[in-house]
Amino acid sequence: MKTDLSGASAPLRVSPLVADGLLIRQDEYYKKYFYAEILWIEASGNYCYFHFKDNSRITVACRLGSVEWQLPDAYLVRVHRGFILNLRYVDTWAGNSLRVGEKWFPVGDCYRKSVLACFNILDTSRENPKTGNGE
């Protein structure tokens, strides 16, 4: 199912009553998709694939940059030129990759610092700043 967002624009102010999801055109109507249900969004040329918790997927006729502009920054974050991830579902970070469920996603160099800043990371491999050693 394809959706066209070419004429859509972001509102100047978002009401807390509707800030939990995005209305996406489906043929002759708009259907609400909750941000909390989106696992990731994948770019494919002039289209995007929205992947959801229930393993469903929709195709939207819009570039990833346009979709990114309309999403809330809190959890839906661009991690690569081809992916936006819902950081609530990231369960593993290894090297330059993040994992959501069983799927791994690359983290682009220009996104790495800002993406990793979103996580509360307890790094036990570093020295203790108070004692100068690992104790």
Side-chain angles (χ1 to χ4, degrees):
M1 141 175 41
K2 293 181 182 175
T3 303
D4 182 9
L5 290 178
S6 58
S9 63
L12 295 176
R13 171 170 49 137
V14 178
S15 165
L17 298 176
V18 295
D20 60 348
L22 180 68
L23 291 171
I24 300 177
R25 188 174 176 90
Q26 303 294 309
D27 299 319
E28 300 300 317
Y29 61 92
Y30 289 87
K31 181 177 178 186
K32 184 175 187 175
Y33 292 93
F34 292 99
Y35 297 129
E37 298 295 316
I38 300 170
L39 293 176
W40 74 85
I41 305 167
E42 180 178 359
S44 180
N46 290 327
Y47 295 91
C48 290
Y49 301 116
F50 282 68
H51 297 264
F52 298 95
K53 281 175 56 176
D54 65 359
N55 291 322
S56 65
R57 182 182 91 169
I58 62 168
T59 303
V60 177
C62 189
R63 294 180 88 50
L64 192 61
S66 298
V67 171
E68 177 187 18
W69 189 73
Q70 292 188 241
L71 297 173
D73 294 351
Y75 298 103
L76 292 159
V77 175
R78 189 135 184 199
V79 300
H80 184 269
R81 65 186 177 115
F83 297 102
I84 293 173
L85 296 184
N86 189 330
L87 298 182
R88 292 177 180 165
Y89 300 109
V90 170
D91 57 26
T92 306
W93 162 41
N96 286 327
S97 298
L98 296 171
R99 185 176 74 179
V100 174
E102 297 301 316
K103 184 161 176 60
W104 286 92
F105 298 89
V107 177
D109 290 339
C110 64
Y111 301 101
R112 182 179 168 84
K113 186 176 180 180
S114 62
V115 169
L116 294 181
C118 295
F119 294 101
N120 188 7
I121 300 170
L122 176 61
D123 189 352
T124 59
S125 66
R126 295 190 180 161
E127 291 182 349
N128 185 332
K130 292 182 181 177
T131 63
N133 58 31
E135 296 178 11

